[in-house]
Amino acid sequence: MIGLGLIGGSVLRAAAAAKRTVWGATTSESDAAAARAQGYDAETDVAAALRRAAEADAMVVLAVPLTVVDETLHLLAEHAPNALLTDVTSVKGPVLRAVRRWAPEARYVGGHPMAGTSRSGWDAGDAELFQGAAWVVEIEDDTDLALWAEVAEFAVSLGAHVVPLSAAAHDEAVARISHLPHLLAAVLSAVGAEGGPVAMALAAGSFRDGTRVAGSRPELVRAMTEGNREALLSVLDDALGRLGAARGSLASTGGLAKTIEAGHQGSLAFAEHREQDRAGVQLSLSAPDAREALRALGERGGRITGISGDQATAESS
Amino acid sequence: MIGLGLIGGSVLRAAAAAKRTVWGATTSESDAAAARAQGYDAETDVAAALRRAAEADAMVVLAVPLTVVDETLHLLAEHAPNALLTDVTSVKGPVLRAVRRWAPEARYVGGHPMAGTSRSGWDAGDAELFQGAAWVVEIEDDTDLALWAEVAEFAVSLGAHVVPLSAAAHDEAVARISHLPHLLAAVLSAVGAEGGPVAMALAAGSFRDGTRVAGSRPELVRAMTEGNREALLSVLDDALGRLGAARGSLASTGGLAKTIEAGHQGSLAFAEHREQDRAGVQLSLSAPDAREALRALGERGGRITGISGDQATAESS
């Protein structure tokens, strides 16, 4: 584990609980000390931890903020250039490009667990954080399926459900369901605060829910939203178009039916997705069409819940 | 009680629990039957319930959707024209104008409890819904303070904290902290659903929280947002301006610092408002400056927690 904040610290705890041999490094003295105090093998010398991974042929998990991915990859290229490498960063295209540029010999399969809280740092971590959570494991045209299976099996062993997706499909989806929510929460929070103590005194459920993630650490929110610029711009345009149409309609006819109905339909679709019956599916990772079958599974909202040998057990709608 | 949905049904239950003599009427056969089945005095003849109120000189509480306020006021003008009248509708300016037009002899003091859920109807009601909730009781230049005190005392007796505000101040604040959140939730929900099963499969906390109120009944959301057109347009423009600035900044410099920092500051202001120490204040409702003192209390985010005779006990920041 490189990085022992909320996600890295949770991965370290969950992997240790799953009886894996794990060690971590972080440039944060306080996170390293807190991890050691709880009996974990953690240090502040990232290079040393990487050399140890190279010697043991261990998987390296990058759990550092997007803004320090490049410099961490420089260290990796120097101390563990051929490592089996994954990450937990919230955008996948930029990290894939950075790995190809700075650590081209790494055997990289990107990942992203869809779990978190608005708190951060080692102390916010939790070995149970990934139970039942979606964990995207990236599959590109040139991904080695044996490496992919190792990373997917790792995620499953921490309790997560693996969603196989390309970096592009992942980044487009998270722009919609994670990065846009953060921007809308920021805008709502600022507009609410502009209303002063009266607005704060009347604020109840809808405002509290709509602004919750505005409490997240600004540098982390910036890193993930700015890091997904291309996909986020297109999704922001969609949101701006819809909000502008609502504004125009309210000003002209006074009606908001279209906006509110579309939102309600979306809410029903989300509820339906969560509640729908899913069929069990078996996939062979050595089948000739395995890559296409995995991506198709991810793109229809399916998840892998178990991996044994070259067999993946999945739930698919 | 006229109207026995979520709010009206909760008021009826809470008022009965506070040992008040209460009866209700609703045009919904199912809500009336459900209330009767639980031992409440409820009928579907609104005119008869209003005549009974006129005979008993009882307070009439309008808890009908904004879209049927006018027709209910016609009935009131016919059957209980001089009633002490309040309401629980989520906009205050339009209701005030409707009362002045359709039931000018009613002794009206508007109200709005800031409580709710995304469910609706009698069965969603709860006698405890108003415990500790803010309940705006409207105070205009011509409001009779003795009537105001009766309505405020009613709200306090249901467990609520009374916020004295003009209709204009109320409508501006709720546009920010209730109506804008509903529109942003609708937009987010629609943009998310546009992402299909992949987006739905990856959606986690930020999307769930940001879209929760998009599950509310569309006709109720329309009624409150469309009913607050003027205040909402100005707040929508503020939100559009901020979101457009974020879009421009992301496209040009790639940075979102200003948007995200402003959101985070808003979130801190909201947390600070909730946690700040409040001083106890006593207000005399018969003092010459009582009207100004009450409004000033509301405008700095204060709340009345008790009323006894002409003395109001308040918390003020």
Side-chain angles (χ1 to χ4, degrees), chain B residues 74-140:
Chain B
H74 297 160
L75 283 175
L76 183 105
E78 187 180 348
H79 300 286
N82 311 111
L84 169 55
L85 174 68
T86 188
D87 71 318
V88 297
T89 321
S90 53
V91 293
K92 299 272 60 70
V95 175
L96 180 61
R97 289 190 288 274
V99 171
R100 285 179 177 159
R101 179 163 186 187
W102 303 117
E105 291 165 60
R107 290 168 292 150
Y108 175 66
V109 178
H112 180 208
M114 306 304 298
T117 74
S118 59
R119 296 175 309 128
S120 41
W122 169 270
D123 289 332
D126 176 3
E128 302 290 311
L129 187 64
F130 309 110
Q131 289 298 329
W135 189 314
V136 174
V137 181
E138 185 185 345
I139 186 161
E140 304 295 335

Side-chain angles (χ1 to χ4, degrees), chain B residues 153-196:
Chain B
E153 199 177 350
F154 176 69
V156 165
S157 76
L158 309 190
H161 296 169
V162 166
V163 181
L165 286 177
S166 69
H170 167 276
D171 289 354
E172 209 274 339
V174 296
R176 290 181 192 275
I177 54 82
S178 170
H179 303 164
L180 180 63
H182 276 87
L183 286 189
L184 293 181
V187 165
L188 178 58
S189 176
V191 173
E194 196 76 14

Side-chain angles (χ1 to χ4, degrees), chain A residues 14-15 18 20 127-135 152-162 303-306:
Chain A
R20 287 178 183 262
E128 301 290 310
L129 187 65
F130 310 110
Q131 290 296 331
W135 188 313
E153 198 178 350
F154 176 70
V156 166
S157 75
L158 309 191
H161 295 168
V162 166
R303 295 169 163 211
I304 291 169
T305 54

